[in-house]
Amino acid sequence: MTEEQTIDHHLRQALAHLETALNQSVAAVMNDQALKKEIGKKWEMFLGDFFGYVREKGKQHRINLLGWISFPRLR
């Protein structure tokens, strides 16, 4: 497996895990609105950790990882 294929594999796995977490989050809040704030904090923490990690890796290697992504093209 090439490095590019390995990256694709890990990104597909990550997306599958995120879809599962999102589906469970929605289901939990639909069942109990009181969980909205708690689950929202979990997502906030996750996204903060992820973007923080991306920024830190970029600083370490002196590259703008977010610059690789064309945000207007995101759907």
Side-chain angles (χ1 to χ4, degrees):
M1 187 179 284
T2 68
E3 192 165 353
E4 190 173 337
Q5 289 171 324
T6 302
I7 291 167
D8 288 340
H9 171 76
H10 286 293
L11 289 173
R12 280 191 306 273
Q13 281 188 316
L15 183 58
H17 287 290
L18 287 169
E19 286 174 350
T20 299
L22 184 58
N23 288 337
Q24 289 179 346
S25 296
V26 169
V29 171
M30 295 297 289
N31 288 330
D32 184 355
Q33 288 290 311
L35 294 174
K36 187 190 307 187
K37 189 172 183 177
E38 181 181 333
I39 291 174
K41 285 183 181 181
K42 291 177 187 298
W43 280 98
E44 187 177 288
M45 182 177 240
F46 167 76
L47 291 170
D49 287 348
F50 175 72
F51 281 105
Y53 184 70
V54 169
R55 279 192 300 274
E56 186 59 35
K57 266 300 180 199
K59 285 180 186 177
Q60 287 175 359
H61 297 281
R62 296 179 180 227
I63 52 177
N64 179 7
L65 296 168
L66 293 176
W68 299 353
I69 301 166
S70 174
F71 286 96
R73 286 192 214 165
L74 295 180
R75 306 178 242 152

